[in-house]
């Protein structure tokens, strides 16, 4: 049974007991009234019987006084008294009207009849006095029968009074007893009402006020400490407690929403910090491998639970090649044509809206097509790569903007690496021959020399010069000269690429560093280059350029020079070859022997 129903029943019983107590109090008051009425009736009856008694004795006394004294005043008083005396019927009607019972009226009626008989004897005595028969009058009024009749009247009146006293006493006792019982009952009802009221008040205070307030206080305390996981009590009653519970429930719901917003804000800040840190790391990357490592490290944390791949656009062949993957099974992701991806085609992330029907990218497996997102890596208006995400759901994916920011940062880093590689290639490699240029020579020379000294290995240097190159330019032009330089560079590169590095040292000069190679090995390599150049058959247009020769100087460490003068020794050997008429190989060791 609901508390409200119990309370309503208790209130109803309390009201009923209160009304019943009021009714009993009214009945007790009526009993007191009956007691007062019995006393008042006794007084009225005493007054009426006293009038009868007084009238009977007064008339008798006046008649006797007149008979003895013959006093005319006594006769006059008697006559007046007799005239004023009320008849029996009038006296009885007054008694009857005041509640006299039939038995009491019969007893009094008998006494009143005796009084009338005495009055008749008194009238007879007065008549005898009027005739002068005084003796007869005295006999009538002082005879024994007359006295007996007076005593009889007195007895009747006394019995009537005794009966009245007994009835009045019984009425008073009954009224008193009834009043006491009713008052006791009323007091019991008032006590029960008070107890029930106290019980109801205690019940309400404990169950409807104290207990809810204690529970609400605990909830408020926990909400104050931002413990929004607490369950608020469901007090649906329409009162102050219900209003408080509703207000606390609304406060908790607002707190949960605020807490969720704070979590989302903190998550956004965390993602922003990761993006900022990733951008900083990308700025410090020196090659494509560094960029790929940064992507593999930060992508799973920026988009937790979302698998993905990083593709780079290769130009030869024209394809998207997977270079990194995370949170996916270790499997091969084959290259695909850029047109197979709608994001690359459109230059925007695809599909535009998650969950909406749209055409899927052709490179995606069918099982992941409806839960994927492709974000192109754009640099200078061109796609240079692709980020492909799978397992995209509204619950697990961060804001699309963060994924696009990550793609933008990666695209910029890859573009910077491409630009850096291009600039490095221009700075370190000769654009005509593809050989390293002179700017790269000093660093490479120090590295190889340190390695040779550390490992106690020989290191040789070849200095190569095309003979009579100026005359070729003069006769055939610079384009023909460039063709000759490219052809000779190809022969030098082919001869030294297995165990050395070739450089374009000047306009028509080349240099080769041969690791772990002594004078004998260096001479063999120089011979290969020399014979290869002599075997060239070059034409420019319709004209034949003719034979091309080279002069080569050789120096080896540690046979001919130390670490700081190996190049100089090779240059000296080349200079000696030119002095000897060009088109020959001269070793620095030959100069020492000569």
């Amino acid at each position: 049974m609901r508390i409200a129903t119990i309370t309503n029943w208790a209130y109803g019983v309390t009201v009923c007991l209160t009304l019943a107590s009021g009714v009993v109090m009214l009945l007790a008051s009526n009993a007191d009234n009956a007691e007062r009425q019995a006393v008042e009736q006794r007084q009225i009856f005493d007054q009426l019987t006293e009038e009868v008694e007084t009238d009977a004795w007064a008339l008798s006394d006046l008649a006797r006084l007149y008979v003895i004294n013959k006093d005319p005043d006594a006769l006059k008083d008697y006559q007046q008294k007799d005239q004023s005396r009320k008849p029996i019927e009038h006296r009885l009607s007054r008694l009857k009207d005041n509640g006299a019972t039939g038995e009491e009226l019969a007893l009094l009626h008998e006494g009143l009849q005796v009084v009338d008989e005495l009055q008749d004897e008194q009238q007879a005595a007065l008549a005898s006095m009027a005739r002068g028969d005084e003796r007869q009058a005295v006999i009538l009024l002082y005879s024994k029968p007359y006295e007996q009749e007076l005593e009889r009247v007195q007895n009747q009146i006394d019995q009537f009074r005794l009966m009245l006293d007994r009835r009045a006493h019984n009425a008073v006792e009954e009224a008193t007893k009834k009043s006491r019982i009713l008052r006791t009952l009323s007091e019991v009802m008032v006590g029960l009402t008070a107890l029930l009221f106290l019980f109801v008040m205690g019940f309400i205070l404990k169950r409807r006020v104290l207990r809810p307030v204690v529970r609400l206080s605990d909830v408020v305390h926990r909400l104050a400490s931002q413990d929004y996981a607490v369950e608020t009590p469901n007090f649906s009653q329409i009162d102050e407690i219900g209003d408080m519970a509703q207000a606390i429930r609304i406060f908790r719901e607002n707190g949960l929403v605020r807490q969720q917003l704070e979590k989302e804000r903190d998550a956004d800040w965390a993602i922003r910090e990761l993006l900022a840190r990733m951008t900083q790391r990308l700025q410090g990357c020196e090659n494509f491998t560094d960029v790929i490592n940064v992507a593999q490290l930060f992508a799973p944390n920026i988009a937790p639970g979302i698998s993905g791949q990083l593709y780079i656009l290769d130009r030869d062949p024209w394809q998207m090649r997977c270079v990194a993957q995370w949170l996916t099974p270790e499997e091969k992701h084959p290259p695909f044509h850029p047109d197979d991806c709608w994001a690359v085609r459109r230059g925007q992330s695809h599909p535009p809206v998650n969950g909406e029907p749209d055409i899927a990218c052709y490179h995606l497996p069918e099982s992941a097509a409806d839960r994927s997102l492709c974000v192109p890596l754009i640099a200078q208006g061109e796609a240079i790569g692709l980020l492909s995400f799978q397992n995209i759901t509204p619950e697990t994916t961060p804001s699309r903007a963060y994924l696009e920011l990550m793609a933008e940062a990666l695209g910029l880093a890859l573009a910077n690496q491409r630009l850096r590689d291009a600039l490095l290639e221009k700075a370190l490699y000769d654009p005509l021959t593809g050989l390293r240029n002179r700017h790269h020579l000093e660093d490479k020379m120090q590295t190889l020399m340190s390695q040779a000294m550390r490992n106690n290995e020989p290191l040789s240097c070849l200095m190569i010069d095309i003979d009579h190159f100026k005359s070729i330019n003069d006769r055939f032009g610079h384009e023909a000269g460039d063709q000759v330089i490219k052809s000779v560079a190809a022969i030098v590169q082919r001869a030294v690429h297995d165990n050395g590095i070739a450089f374009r040292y000047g306009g028509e000069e080349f240099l080769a560093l041969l690791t772990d190679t002594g004078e004998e090995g260096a001479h063999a390599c120089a011979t290969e280059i020399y014979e290869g150049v002599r075997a060239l058959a070059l034409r420019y247009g319709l004209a034949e350029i003719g034979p091309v020769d080279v002069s080569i100087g050789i120096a080896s460490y540690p046979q001919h020079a130390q670490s700081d003068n190996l190049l100089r020794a090779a240059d000296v050997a080349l200079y000696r070859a030119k002095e000897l008429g060009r088109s020959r190989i001269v070793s620095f060791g030959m100069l020492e022997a000569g």
Side-chain angles (χ1 to χ4, degrees):
M1 185 178 294
R2 296 177 61 85
I3 296 177
T5 304
I6 297 174
T7 305
N8 293 335
W9 273 102
Y11 277 136
V13 173
T14 303
V15 171
C16 292
L17 286 175
T18 304
L19 293 177
S21 176
V23 171
V24 172
M25 289 292 290
L26 291 176
L27 294 176
S29 178
N30 290 335
D32 293 339
N33 292 333
E35 182 179 351
R36 287 192 295 272
Q37 289 175 1
V39 175
E40 291 174 357
Q41 186 185 53
R42 178 69 179 84
Q43 292 176 350
I44 294 172
F45 287 171
D46 284 344
Q47 183 180 358
L48 292 175
T49 53
E50 186 176 359
E51 289 178 1
V52 173
E53 183 180 9
T54 302
D55 289 346
W57 285 102
L59 288 174
S60 180
D61 290 341
L62 288 173
R64 285 181 174 180
L65 183 61
Y66 175 71
V67 171
I68 298 299
N69 296 329
K70 300 179 181 64
D71 185 2
D73 292 332
L75 179 60
K76 186 178 179 179
D77 291 337
Y78 177 83
Q79 291 174 348
Q80 290 178 353
K81 192 75 173 174
D82 182 53
Q83 291 177 358
S84 63
R85 187 176 66 86
K86 297 180 176 66
I88 295 175
E89 290 76 8
H90 178 72
R91 295 175 184 272
L92 292 176
S93 64
R94 286 190 62 189
L95 289 171
K96 186 175 181 181
D97 292 339
N98 285 280
T101 63
E103 183 181 0
E104 294 169 347
L105 291 175
L107 181 61
L108 189 57
H109 184 269
E110 184 179 350
L112 292 177
Q113 284 182 344
V114 176
V115 171
D116 286 344
E117 291 175 358
L118 290 175
Q119 190 176 4
D120 290 340
E121 292 182 4
Q122 292 168 5
Q123 293 291 336
L126 293 177
S128 297
M129 287 293 296
R131 292 191 304 270
D133 190 358
E134 297 179 0
R135 184 174 175 279
Q136 182 63 31
V138 171
I139 292 172
L140 287 173
L141 295 178
Y142 287 96
S143 63
K144 187 176 181 179
Y146 185 83
E147 291 292 338
Q148 291 177 348
E149 291 296 326
L150 282 176
E151 291 180 0
R152 183 182 174 190
V153 170
Q154 186 66 46
N155 289 335
Q156 291 294 108
I157 291 175
D158 289 341
Q159 289 183 6
F160 179 74
R161 286 177 175 171
L162 182 61
M163 187 177 293
L164 288 178
D165 289 340
R166 188 163 48 250
R167 186 162 74 86
H169 182 267
N170 292 336
V172 169
E173 283 188 351
E174 183 179 356
T176 302
K177 183 178 179 181
K178 183 177 180 181
S179 175
R180 187 181 297 112
I181 293 174
L182 292 175
R183 287 182 183 277
T184 302
L185 181 60
S186 175
E187 291 172 355
V188 171
M189 289 184 177
V190 170
L192 289 175
T193 303
L195 289 176
L196 185 58
F197 178 76
L198 291 176
F199 170 75
V200 172
M201 287 298 295
F203 185 78
I204 293 175
L205 287 175
K206 183 177 180 181
R207 296 293 298 275
R208 296 292 295 273
V209 177
L210 184 59
R211 184 176 297 177
V213 166
V214 170
R215 291 186 62 188
L216 292 177
S217 176
D218 178 64
V219 171
V220 169
H221 179 73
R222 294 180 64 180
L223 290 177
S225 61
Q226 297 186 350
D227 180 12
Y228 297 110
V230 61
E231 291 293 334
T232 57
N234 186 18
F235 297 136
S236 58
Q237 64 265 29
I238 304 176
D239 55 13
E240 291 78 2
I241 299 297
D243 294 341
M244 290 174 60
Q246 178 67 14
I248 292 173
R249 187 159 49 250
I250 294 174
F251 179 80
R252 173 180 176 270
E253 293 173 356
N254 293 337
L256 287 174
V257 173
R258 183 171 62 254
Q259 192 177 60
Q260 181 64 27
L261 291 176
E262 290 176 352
K263 288 182 178 179
E264 293 177 358
R265 181 197 63 192
D266 294 342
D268 288 344
W269 277 111
I271 293 176
R272 291 180 184 180
E273 290 179 357
L274 285 172
L275 284 170
R277 196 184 311 161
M278 184 186 76
T279 303
Q280 292 175 353
R281 301 301 180 268
L282 289 174
Q283 292 174 353
C285 292
E286 295 186 353
N287 49 54
F288 280 97
T289 302
D290 290 344
V291 175
I292 293 171
N293 291 335
V294 170
Q296 287 179 317
L297 176 64
F298 282 91
N301 295 284
I302 294 175
I306 299 177
S307 59
Q309 299 89 35
L310 171 63
Y311 292 87
I312 292 180
L313 178 61
D314 291 333
R315 299 188 180 277
D316 189 18
W318 188 257
Q319 64 181 11
M320 284 287 181
R321 176 172 54 89
C322 181
V323 295
Q325 60 181 352
W326 53 89
L327 301 181
T328 58
E330 293 296 332
E331 58 184 15
K332 298 260 185 197
H333 295 276
F336 59 89
H337 195 275
D339 289 342
D340 290 342
C341 181
W342 280 91
V344 176
R345 286 189 187 184
R346 298 171 62 243
Q348 297 176 352
S349 58
H350 185 83
V353 180
N354 286 333
E356 295 294 331
D358 206 331
I359 188 168
C361 294
Y362 303 131
H363 64 91
L364 295 172
E366 293 184 2
S367 59
D370 58 342
R371 293 179 288 108
S372 298
L373 175 67
C374 292
V375 184
L377 308 184
I378 306 296
Q380 298 177 354
E382 295 182 359
I384 62 172
L386 174 70
L387 277 178
S388 179
F389 299 99
Q390 286 81 44
N391 300 327
I392 295 287
T393 63
E395 294 77 17
T396 60
T397 181
S399 172
R400 179 188 291 254
Y402 293 139
L403 299 181
E404 293 177 348
L405 285 174
M406 180 169 63
E408 182 179 350
L410 287 173
L412 182 60
L414 290 174
N416 289 338
Q417 287 302 319
R418 283 193 172 183
L419 179 60
R420 178 176 181 152
D421 291 347
L423 293 175
L424 184 63
E425 183 176 358
K426 289 182 179 180
L428 301 181
Y429 291 88
D430 176 54
L432 179 62
T433 63
L435 300 179
R436 289 176 172 85
N437 58 28
R438 191 168 182 175
H439 298 291
H440 196 201
L441 175 60
E442 184 176 354
D443 292 338
K444 199 65 178 176
M445 182 66 188
Q446 291 180 357
T447 301
L448 294 179
M449 184 58 71
S450 298
Q451 179 180 344
M453 295 173 64
R454 183 173 60 252
N455 298 332
N456 195 22
E457 296 175 349
L459 177 66
S460 296
C461 177
L462 305 182
M463 191 75 74
I464 307 160
D465 182 76
I466 301 175
D467 295 333
H468 308 292
F469 181 74
K470 185 176 183 303
S471 62
I472 295 175
N473 280 338
D474 292 342
R475 284 190 300 155
F476 301 101
H478 290 285
E479 290 184 0
D482 290 343
Q483 182 178 349
V484 170
I485 290 175
K486 289 173 64 177
S487 299
V488 173
I491 294 172
V492 173
Q493 177 67 26
R494 184 170 57 251
V496 304
H497 81 281
D498 289 336
N499 59 345
I501 303 174
F503 298 86
R504 184 181 180 186
Y505 193 68
E508 69 275 12
E509 288 185 313
F510 302 91
L511 185 146
L513 294 176
L514 305 176
T515 59
D516 196 17
T517 302
E519 180 181 7
E520 184 177 353
H523 196 278
C525 182
T527 301
E528 182 181 353
I529 295 172
Y530 178 82
E531 292 177 353
V533 173
R534 286 184 64 86
L536 284 174
L538 299 176
R539 299 179 65 85
Y540 180 71
L542 298 177
E544 184 176 352
I545 296 176
V548 178
D549 291 321
V550 293
S551 298
I552 302 176
I554 302 173
S556 298
Y557 166 85
Q559 292 174 282
H560 306 143
Q562 297 302 312
S563 62
D564 55 348
N565 57 8
L566 181 63
L567 296 182
R568 182 173 177 79
D571 188 54
V572 169
L574 175 62
Y575 183 75
R576 181 60 178 166
K578 289 182 178 181
E579 284 183 341
L580 295 176
R582 294 183 173 87
S583 186
R584 67 192 63 229
I585 301 172
V586 176
S587 173
F588 191 81
M590 296 168 59
L591 299 179
E592 291 178 344

